């Protein structure tokens, strides 16, 4: 009896927003403290997060059909990333007793590869497709 057959069928690319945020915290009437912060937003999982360091990347040309369509705008991704990280920023700078505000930011659009696999049942009647996330190692269900 044979098991489930698995084969790599292709690679698609999902958008990850990376934000370099300049934060200002008004300490007094004339004094403002500034800090830099990295935040990100992953469109495949629709999850914001903190970035410890900028990921390395290289430019690569791929076909337009290999790139997943954008799910959110830059402003929506920034808002979500900020909301997810704001509490941690407040805790980090709690001694200043100041509310952090975004003074400016730089957004980068980075695409991470997702490796598409086809799983076929032993009888060959049923096929399922899953994408392997290259950063997390998660298998994500795909509906084709």
């Amino acid at each position: 009896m044979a098991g489930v057959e698995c084969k790599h069928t292709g690679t698609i690319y999902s958008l990850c927003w990376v934000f370099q945020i300049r934060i200002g915290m008004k300490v007094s009437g004339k004094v403002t403290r500034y800090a830099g912060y990295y935040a990100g937003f992953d469109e495949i999982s629709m999850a914001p997060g903190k970035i410890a360091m900028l990921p390395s990347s290289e430019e690569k040309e791929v076909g337009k059909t290999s790139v997943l369509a954008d799910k959110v705008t830059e402003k929506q991704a920034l808002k979500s990333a900020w909301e997810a990280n704001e509490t941690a920023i407040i805790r980090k700078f709690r001694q200043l007793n100041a509310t952090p505000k975004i003074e400016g930011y730089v957004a980068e659009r980075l695409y991470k590869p997702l490796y598409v696999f086809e799983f076929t049942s032993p009888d060959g009647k049923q096929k399922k497709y899953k994408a392997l996330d290259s950063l997390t190692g998660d298998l994500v269900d795909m509906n084709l």
Side-chain angles (χ1 to χ4, degrees):
M1 183 169 165
V4 174
E5 184 181 322
C6 173
K7 67 178 180 178
H8 177 257
T9 59
T11 304
I12 56 177
Y13 297 87
S14 174
L15 177 62
C16 292
W17 291 97
V18 175
F19 298 102
Q20 299 174 48
I21 303 173
R22 181 177 183 222
I23 301 166
M25 292 160 283
K26 195 130 181 112
V27 179
S28 67
K30 294 181 179 180
V31 179
T32 301
R33 300 280 186 213
Y34 294 98
Y37 203 76
Y38 293 120
F41 187 85
D42 181 4
E43 285 205 354
I44 195 73
S45 62
M46 295 299 285
K50 180 180 186 268
I51 298 174
M53 68 179 105
L54 289 178
S56 63
S57 62
E58 60 184 50
E59 281 196 34
K60 182 178 181 182
E61 288 204 26
V62 296
K64 287 186 179 186
T65 57
S66 297
V67 179
L68 296 176
D70 294 358
K71 294 180 182 178
V72 297
T73 65
E74 180 179 320
K75 295 286 185 196
Q76 291 169 324
L78 176 63
K79 181 178 184 256
S80 182
W82 175 251
E83 287 171 353
N85 290 287
E86 187 176 17
T87 303
I89 295 166
I90 290 170
R91 284 187 188 133
K92 184 175 181 178
F93 297 105
R94 68 179 168 264
Q95 74 277 10
L96 296 178
N97 292 319
T99 305
K101 302 283 185 214
I102 296 176
E103 296 282 328
Y105 70 93
V106 175
E108 294 187 52
R109 296 170 60 99
L110 300 176
Y111 291 86
K112 69 176 177 179
L114 302 169
Y115 305 106
V116 180
F117 288 91
E118 176 186 83
F119 295 90
T120 308
S121 63
D123 58 7
K125 293 181 181 177
Q126 189 177 12
K127 290 184 181 182
K128 288 191 177 185
Y129 294 90
K130 292 188 179 263
L132 177 67
D133 188 318
S134 63
L135 293 179
T136 64
D138 294 339
L139 274 176
V140 181
D141 288 328
M142 296 185 66
N143 297 320
L144 299 177

